[in-house]
Amino acid sequence: MIEITCNDRLGKKVRIKCNADDTIGDLKKLIAAQTGTKWDRIVLKKWYTIYKDHVTLQDYEIHDGMNLELYYQ
């Protein structure tokens, strides 16, 4: 289990526990369950990299304690 922090820079900071072999789409669904937004409206970024839904966290080298930027479409 790894823990990822997502910050939307509007005051909402969410800490999510998930597995390293989960996809970005799975992570978005966990974030949506905590924030109350639809999972398909969530965009996850790190700097200028937009993460795709079908790729796993391991493939993007997302590790325990990492921060991601949370945006809404």
Side-chain angles (χ1 to χ4, degrees), residues 12 21-22 27 30 34-35 41 63 71:
K12 190 177 287 185
D21 58 349
D22 287 347
L27 180 62
L30 292 172
Q34 284 197 8
T35 61
R41 309 269 304 159
H63 304 295
Y71 294 95

PDB file of all heavy atoms in Angstrom, residues 12 21-22 27 30 34-35 41 63 71:
ATOM      1  N   LYS A  12      -8.377  22.166  -1.030  1.00  0.00           N
ATOM      2  CA  LYS A  12      -8.734  20.765  -0.830  1.00  0.00           C
ATOM      3  C   LYS A  12      -7.498  19.896  -1.032  1.00  0.00           C
ATOM      4  O   LYS A  12      -6.877  19.917  -2.091  1.00  0.00           O
ATOM      5  CB  LYS A  12      -9.826  20.344  -1.803  1.00  0.00           C
ATOM      6  CG  LYS A  12     -10.409  18.972  -1.484  1.00  0.00           C
ATOM      7  CD  LYS A  12     -11.538  18.642  -2.436  1.00  0.00           C
ATOM      8  CE  LYS A  12     -12.745  19.485  -2.088  1.00  0.00           C
ATOM      9  NZ  LYS A  12     -13.918  19.136  -2.887  1.00  0.00           N
ATOM     10  N   ASP A  21       0.106  -1.196  -8.142  1.00  0.00           N
ATOM     11  CA  ASP A  21      -0.307  -1.745  -9.439  1.00  0.00           C
ATOM     12  C   ASP A  21      -1.696  -1.283  -9.864  1.00  0.00           C
ATOM     13  O   ASP A  21      -2.229  -1.756 -10.859  1.00  0.00           O
ATOM     14  CB  ASP A  21      -0.228  -3.272  -9.432  1.00  0.00           C
ATOM     15  CG  ASP A  21      -1.080  -3.898  -8.347  1.00  0.00           C
ATOM     16  OD1 ASP A  21      -1.574  -3.170  -7.472  1.00  0.00           O
ATOM     17  OD2 ASP A  21      -1.241  -5.128  -8.374  1.00  0.00           O
ATOM     18  N   ASP A  22      -2.294  -0.318  -9.141  1.00  0.00           N
ATOM     19  CA  ASP A  22      -3.560   0.288  -9.555  1.00  0.00           C
ATOM     20  C   ASP A  22      -3.317   1.222 -10.736  1.00  0.00           C
ATOM     21  O   ASP A  22      -2.228   1.770 -10.896  1.00  0.00           O
ATOM     22  CB  ASP A  22      -4.182   1.097  -8.414  1.00  0.00           C
ATOM     23  CG  ASP A  22      -4.766   0.219  -7.329  1.00  0.00           C
ATOM     24  OD1 ASP A  22      -4.925  -0.995  -7.560  1.00  0.00           O
ATOM     25  OD2 ASP A  22      -5.058   0.741  -6.241  1.00  0.00           O
ATOM     26  N   LEU A  27      -7.252   5.243  -9.224  1.00  0.00           N
ATOM     27  CA  LEU A  27      -6.907   6.315  -8.289  1.00  0.00           C
ATOM     28  C   LEU A  27      -7.917   7.454  -8.371  1.00  0.00           C
ATOM     29  O   LEU A  27      -8.341   7.988  -7.345  1.00  0.00           O
ATOM     30  CB  LEU A  27      -5.495   6.825  -8.576  1.00  0.00           C
ATOM     31  CG  LEU A  27      -4.983   7.957  -7.692  1.00  0.00           C
ATOM     32  CD1 LEU A  27      -4.915   7.527  -6.235  1.00  0.00           C
ATOM     33  CD2 LEU A  27      -3.629   8.437  -8.178  1.00  0.00           C
ATOM     34  N   LEU A  30     -11.018   6.527  -6.460  1.00  0.00           N
ATOM     35  CA  LEU A  30     -10.824   6.665  -5.016  1.00  0.00           C
ATOM     36  C   LEU A  30     -10.879   8.134  -4.599  1.00  0.00           C
ATOM     37  O   LEU A  30     -11.450   8.470  -3.556  1.00  0.00           O
ATOM     38  CB  LEU A  30      -9.488   6.042  -4.602  1.00  0.00           C
ATOM     39  CG  LEU A  30      -9.373   4.523  -4.721  1.00  0.00           C
ATOM     40  CD1 LEU A  30      -7.945   4.079  -4.473  1.00  0.00           C
ATOM     41  CD2 LEU A  30     -10.314   3.850  -3.751  1.00  0.00           C
ATOM     42  N   GLN A  34     -13.842  10.285  -2.137  1.00  0.00           N
ATOM     43  CA  GLN A  34     -13.553  11.144  -0.987  1.00  0.00           C
ATOM     44  C   GLN A  34     -13.989  12.585  -1.201  1.00  0.00           C
ATOM     45  O   GLN A  34     -14.398  13.252  -0.263  1.00  0.00           O
ATOM     46  CB  GLN A  34     -12.056  11.113  -0.654  1.00  0.00           C
ATOM     47  CG  GLN A  34     -11.647   9.857   0.052  1.00  0.00           C
ATOM     48  CD  GLN A  34     -10.294  10.007   0.722  1.00  0.00           C
ATOM     49  OE1 GLN A  34      -9.724  11.088   0.779  1.00  0.00           O
ATOM     50  NE2 GLN A  34      -9.789   8.920   1.233  1.00  0.00           N
ATOM     51  N   THR A  35     -13.899  13.077  -2.448  1.00  0.00           N
ATOM     52  CA  THR A  35     -14.204  14.480  -2.693  1.00  0.00           C
ATOM     53  C   THR A  35     -15.647  14.722  -3.090  1.00  0.00           C
ATOM     54  O   THR A  35     -16.137  15.840  -2.979  1.00  0.00           O
ATOM     55  CB  THR A  35     -13.291  15.055  -3.791  1.00  0.00           C
ATOM     56  OG1 THR A  35     -13.504  14.321  -5.001  1.00  0.00           O
ATOM     57  CG2 THR A  35     -11.838  14.998  -3.388  1.00  0.00           C
ATOM     58  N   ARG A  41     -14.303  13.668 -14.353  1.00  0.00           N
ATOM     59  CA  ARG A  41     -14.045  15.110 -14.391  1.00  0.00           C
ATOM     60  C   ARG A  41     -12.703  15.465 -13.767  1.00  0.00           C
ATOM     61  O   ARG A  41     -12.286  16.618 -13.798  1.00  0.00           O
ATOM     62  CB  ARG A  41     -15.149  15.868 -13.650  1.00  0.00           C
ATOM     63  CG  ARG A  41     -16.536  15.529 -14.065  1.00  0.00           C
ATOM     64  CD  ARG A  41     -17.091  16.374 -15.141  1.00  0.00           C
ATOM     65  NE  ARG A  41     -17.044  17.781 -14.791  1.00  0.00           N
ATOM     66  CZ  ARG A  41     -17.095  18.740 -15.697  1.00  0.00           C
ATOM     67  NH1 ARG A  41     -17.188  18.434 -16.960  1.00  0.00           N
ATOM     68  NH2 ARG A  41     -17.056  19.993 -15.336  1.00  0.00           N
ATOM     69  N   HIS A  63       5.398   6.901  -6.279  1.00  0.00           N
ATOM     70  CA  HIS A  63       5.795   6.170  -5.087  1.00  0.00           C
ATOM     71  C   HIS A  63       5.043   6.667  -3.860  1.00  0.00           C
ATOM     72  O   HIS A  63       4.257   7.614  -3.932  1.00  0.00           O
ATOM     73  CB  HIS A  63       7.303   6.304  -4.873  1.00  0.00           C
ATOM     74  CG  HIS A  63       8.119   5.848  -6.041  1.00  0.00           C
ATOM     75  ND1 HIS A  63       8.154   4.538  -6.466  1.00  0.00           N
ATOM     76  CD2 HIS A  63       8.913   6.534  -6.888  1.00  0.00           C
ATOM     77  CE1 HIS A  63       8.950   4.426  -7.519  1.00  0.00           C
ATOM     78  NE2 HIS A  63       9.421   5.634  -7.805  1.00  0.00           N
ATOM     79  N   TYR A  71      -6.865  18.637 -10.764  1.00  0.00           N
ATOM     80  CA  TYR A  71      -7.613  19.639 -11.529  1.00  0.00           C
ATOM     81  C   TYR A  71      -8.966  19.059 -11.889  1.00  0.00           C
ATOM     82  O   TYR A  71      -9.154  17.850 -11.929  1.00  0.00           O
ATOM     83  CB  TYR A  71      -6.863  20.040 -12.808  1.00  0.00           C
ATOM     84  CG  TYR A  71      -5.560  20.754 -12.541  1.00  0.00           C
ATOM     85  CD1 TYR A  71      -4.360  20.079 -12.515  1.00  0.00           C
ATOM     86  CD2 TYR A  71      -5.552  22.119 -12.303  1.00  0.00           C
ATOM     87  CE1 TYR A  71      -3.162  20.737 -12.269  1.00  0.00           C
ATOM     88  CE2 TYR A  71      -4.360  22.797 -12.054  1.00  0.00           C
ATOM     89  CZ  TYR A  71      -3.185  22.088 -12.043  1.00  0.00           C
ATOM     90  OH  TYR A  71      -2.002  22.743 -11.792  1.00  0.00           O
TER      91      TYR A  71
END
